[in-house]
Amino acid sequence: MTRKILIVDDDQKTRTLLKAYLEKNQYEVRLAHDGATFLTEFQRFADELSLVILDVMLPDTDGFALCKAVRRKSNVPVIMLTASSDETDRVVGLELGADDYIAKPYSPRELLARIKAIHRRIGIDSSAAPRYYRFAGFSLDTVERTLTDSAGGIVPLTGMDYQLLKYFVEHPGDVLDRNVLCEETRGRDAGPLDRSLDVQISKLRLRLNDGGRQPHLIKTVRGAGYVFSADVSAAAA
């Protein structure tokens, strides 16, 4: 099965954010801004979809009606999004056949975790994700959690080194702010006086022979964060 997701949400910023985040995590994403567009896209791609995400509040209909329409034709997993904290909405959605329900506001990371959980249950899991990331003569093995250099030698990595490097190679060329990196690697935001991430990045640069005044792999973007500037190739084996 594919990893294609159809999302309907009337907020453009939300749609754009989710599409970018999920595509970085190896999902193919289709978008709709209202119910009519969703139904058109669903008719076109129903057999290819592995999941749909329905916002409850839409300008021309609601997510409940769309969930009914989906269930008349398909058993594709459904996640519903709502700004309401009312338990009734959640119960109604689940009774109509939704597989999961997320209340707004939520983080893309939480949504991704829900998607992965559903995909594991239906046989689509992280096995489709790359095992190796190769860059600048290095190879990161995400199964063995090891880094080898161009001569085949093992580069020692701490657990934090590995988490940080893995996130960098999964997002090459993206400017990543300090809060994103702290949340992804430590599960929390960076405080205004917290310099531990900067220290960790300095250590990682040394392991990658990327020290000096002008690092060429992990670059600092003043006032914005860091960017991993190497060309990265991913492979399953």
Side-chain angles (χ1 to χ4, degrees):
M1 295 180 67
T2 64
R3 290 157 59 91
K4 182 180 288 187
I5 297 173
L6 175 58
I7 300 173
V8 58
D9 195 301
D10 63 342
D11 185 83
Q12 182 178 357
K13 183 177 180 180
T14 298
R15 293 196 307 271
T16 302
L17 174 65
L18 291 181
K19 179 178 173 64
Y21 188 80
L22 293 176
E23 286 182 340
K24 288 175 185 177
N25 285 275
Q26 290 82 52
Y27 291 92
E28 183 179 346
V29 179
R30 305 288 303 184
L31 297 176
H33 64 278
D34 59 20
T37 307
F38 170 84
L39 290 174
T40 299
E41 292 291 286
F42 183 74
Q43 291 284 356
R44 292 178 60 193
F45 299 105
D47 293 338
E48 304 173 30
L49 297 173
S50 64
L51 187 138
V52 299
I53 298 173
L54 306 176
D55 188 15
V56 169
M57 299 300 295
L58 295 168
D60 58 344
T61 184
D62 59 51
F64 302 128
L66 295 181
C67 189
K68 286 181 182 179
V70 168
R71 282 291 167 260
R72 283 196 292 266
K73 298 184 178 181
S74 173
N75 289 321
V76 64
V78 173
I79 294 178
M80 302 194 74
L81 310 174
T82 180
S84 172
S85 59
D86 190 344
E87 184 184 67
T88 302
D89 279 0
R90 183 166 64 252
V91 171
V92 170
L94 295 173
E95 287 181 344
L96 290 173
D99 296 83
D100 205 348
Y101 213 101
I102 301 180
K104 297 180 179 180
Y106 61 90
S107 70
R109 187 180 182 187
E110 177 189 4
L111 179 60
L112 177 62
R114 303 286 188 97
I115 292 170
K116 287 183 175 180
I118 290 174
H119 278 171
R120 282 195 296 271
R121 291 202 298 268
I122 65 174
I124 301 175
D125 57 26
S126 59
S127 61
R131 173 175 177 174
Y132 297 99
Y133 291 90
R134 299 184 176 97
F135 62 93
F138 294 94
S139 178
L140 182 68
D141 183 335
T142 61
V143 174
E144 298 293 335
R145 296 169 65 98
T146 56
L147 178 69
T148 55
D149 59 23
S150 57
I154 299 294
V155 179
L157 295 177
T158 65
M160 188 58 66
D161 288 336
Y162 172 78
Q163 294 292 344
L164 190 57
L165 180 57
K166 182 173 183 289
Y167 196 72
F168 273 131
V169 298
E170 289 174 339
H171 303 84
D174 293 344
V175 177
L176 305 171
D177 69 35
R178 296 174 72 254
N179 281 338
V180 167
L181 289 170
C182 280
E183 181 181 349
E184 292 293 337
T185 59
R186 304 179 183 194
R188 60 177 175 82
D189 289 346
L193 301 179
D194 186 352
R195 311 310 301 175
S196 57
L197 175 67
D198 308 288
V199 172
Q200 190 65 48
I201 285 178
S202 295
K203 291 180 179 178
L204 182 58
R205 282 171 170 159
L206 291 176
R207 298 187 190 283
L208 299 176
N209 300 317
D210 192 36
R213 293 187 176 183
Q214 293 185 322
H216 62 282
L217 292 179
I218 305 174
K219 296 182 178 180
T220 301
V221 181
R222 188 175 297 276
Y226 296 94
V227 61
F228 194 73
S229 62
D231 291 329
V232 178
S233 63

